[in-house]
Amino acid sequence: MPVNIDLIRAYTDGLVATHAATSPGVITAPTNATASLAAGYKEVGAISSDGLTEATNQDRTDVFIWQGNALARRIPGQFTKTFTFAAAETSLFTLGIQYPGSTITSTTEGASVAEKPAATDVRAWVLHGTDGATRVQRVFLPKAEVTERGDVVWSSGDVTVYEWTLSAYVDNSGVVAYRYFIDAQMATP
């Protein structure tokens, strides 16, 4: 098969959005890559230059047979889908994601956080990447939660970011992610 560089993608821009933890049943799911996000979605803002990292892991159980002690099957086991990124803006919204279950209050000086151990915070997320003006990939996670939070570094050499790993959970249809593409190379003629 010959190489086709027109099929190489580089999603170098985009957004990450979710909704307030208090409005989970109200959010309308996107059904394509072009429509504006429904009311209630809010962007987490600037993402660090590392972008987003998607990881898929699935355990396998090896089954060997007596004859030749040979591998006969690999039975699929536990499955995880995660997305990791670092939000570079500090706002009441990002603080709510960083400190779920805590009391976050806007004050006349800025904000206050009465931090508690992280509470369960399952919500819908949208990850939207663009490759130039004509190629888009939108991933809708109907149920996901920040399950890992990286170190928050205060440094004279870099900006403070909130590194989050989203774990995607299955919805009522058994789906962890819905993907929509705008890409002429894949479109039906």
Side-chain angles (χ1 to χ4, degrees), residues 70-156:
L71 178 65
R73 280 290 294 272
R74 297 196 90 199
I75 300 170
Q78 296 176 337
F79 171 88
T80 60
K81 170 70 70 180
T82 60
F83 295 85
T84 302
F85 60 94
E89 293 184 19
T90 300
S91 66
L92 293 174
F93 189 61
T94 57
L95 291 175
I97 297 167
Q98 179 68 17
Y99 307 109
S102 297
T103 303
I104 301 165
T105 308
S106 178
T107 69
T108 57
E109 297 174 329
S112 70
V113 178
E115 185 178 348
K116 298 178 183 174
T120 299
D121 185 14
V122 179
R123 50 173 98 183
W125 289 79
V126 175
L127 315 170
H128 187 93
T130 60
D131 177 2
T134 60
R135 295 181 185 124
V136 172
Q137 179 179 180
R138 178 177 283 175
V139 179
F140 172 63
L141 307 175
K143 293 183 178 186
E145 180 176 20
V146 175
T147 53
E148 294 179 38
R149 290 172 175 79
D151 295 338
V152 178
V153 178
W154 301 6
S155 165
S156 63

